[in-house]
Each structure stands twice: as C-alpha cells, then as structure tokens.
C-alpha cells in the first residue's frame, strides 16, 4: 500500500490504472469478507449435519457434472462435484440424506445417502 501511495505521488500511475488497482483491492477485500465465516468453520472442522428426506438431481453441461441435493424438510440445496452412484435419481425418487455442511450452511463438505424406507446406506461420498 505504501508503494502504491508513493507511485501515485510521483505521478507514475495514471488515473485509470489507479481506479483498476483500487477496484481490484476492494473486490479482494469483499471476497475475503464474504468467505471468512466459512473458512473459519472449515479450518476448525466445526461442521453441522443436515439430515432428512432429499432428492438428488444430476446435471451435466459439457465436461462438468454436478449433483444437487434438495433437502425437502428444510428447503435447502447443496451442490457437490462428484456424482453419487445411484440406480435412480431425480425429483420423484426420495432418499434419506445426511449432508455435512459448514456452520453457515454455505458449503457442503460430505454426504451420505440412505434408502428412505430401510435406512440402509446406499452411497457415501469418498
């Protein structure tokens, strides 16, 4: 920051460069401020478990494939990059899920999928 101020006083920076640098700095501070609660939760391994009836939707676009866990009891959605190995999935097939998330429920950490009727473990995440 001191180097930036000295460059500004020496007029080595133009106004547009100054706006770009300040904009980048403010964007970085904003992103850090938004992720600090989740980062603290991940580093301290302070997680919360959301469980209940859920459906699993798998979406594919190009090279990426995502799975979305729709928790029906709490109306929350959690996304994971890996695809669970299920025989059937979608809105019509309910499962019982246990999803480990950060305390602020922003990021999913882990999941376990059980059969809704028998509560037999169908697919844990690796």
């Amino acid at each position: 920051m001191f180097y930036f101020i000295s460059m500004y006083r020496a007029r080595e920076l133009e106004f547009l460069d100054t706006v770009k640098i300040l904009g980048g700095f403010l964007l970085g501070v904003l992103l850090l401020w938004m992720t600090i609660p989740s980062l603290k939760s991940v580093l301290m391994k302070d997680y919360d478990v959301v469980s209940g009836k859920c459906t699993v939707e798998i979406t594919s676009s190009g090279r990426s494939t995502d799975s979305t866990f729709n928790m029906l009891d709490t109306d929350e959605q959690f996304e994971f990059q890996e695809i669970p190995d299920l025989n059937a999935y979608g809105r019509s097939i309910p499962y019982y899920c246990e999803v480990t998330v950060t305390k602020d429920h922003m990021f999913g950490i882990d999941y376990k999928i059980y059969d809704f009727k028998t509560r037999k473990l169908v697919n844990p995440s690796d």
Side-chain angles (χ1 to χ4, degrees):
M1 194 65 151
F2 294 114
Y3 182 68
F4 171 71
I5 293 171
S6 67
M7 286 177 62
Y8 184 73
R9 285 187 180 166
R11 302 282 185 219
E12 293 178 13
L13 285 177
E14 294 183 14
F15 181 72
L16 186 59
D17 291 336
T18 305
V19 171
K20 287 180 187 178
I21 290 172
L22 285 176
F25 177 73
L26 291 176
L27 182 65
V29 168
L30 176 69
L31 290 175
L32 186 62
W33 177 69
M34 290 174 57
T35 59
I36 284 291
S38 297
L39 181 63
K40 179 183 153 193
S41 179
V42 169
L43 291 177
M44 301 302 265
K45 295 187 179 183
D46 188 20
Y47 304 134
D48 195 14
V49 177
V50 178
S51 60
K53 188 176 182 180
C54 72
T55 58
V56 180
E57 295 180 33
I58 297 177
T59 56
S60 175
S61 61
R63 293 183 182 179
S64 66
T65 304
D66 298 329
S67 57
T68 304
F69 288 72
N70 297 313
M71 303 301 290
L72 302 177
D73 297 336
T74 60
D75 291 330
E76 293 180 291
Q77 290 185 344
F78 302 105
E79 293 187 15
F80 292 93
Q81 296 295 323
E82 64 261 5
I83 306 168
D85 185 26
L86 302 171
N87 292 333
Y89 55 87
R91 293 185 184 268
S92 61
I93 308 295
Y95 294 100
Y96 181 81
C97 300
E98 290 181 357
V99 180
T100 305
V101 296
T102 56
K103 282 288 186 185
D104 57 357
H105 292 216
M106 292 291 290
F107 299 103
I109 306 294
D110 192 21
Y111 65 85
K112 291 181 184 175
I113 302 173
Y114 297 92
D115 184 78
F116 186 70
K117 294 178 183 173
T118 63
R119 297 286 199 262
K120 180 182 173 188
L121 183 64
V122 175
N123 187 313
S125 64
D126 293 333

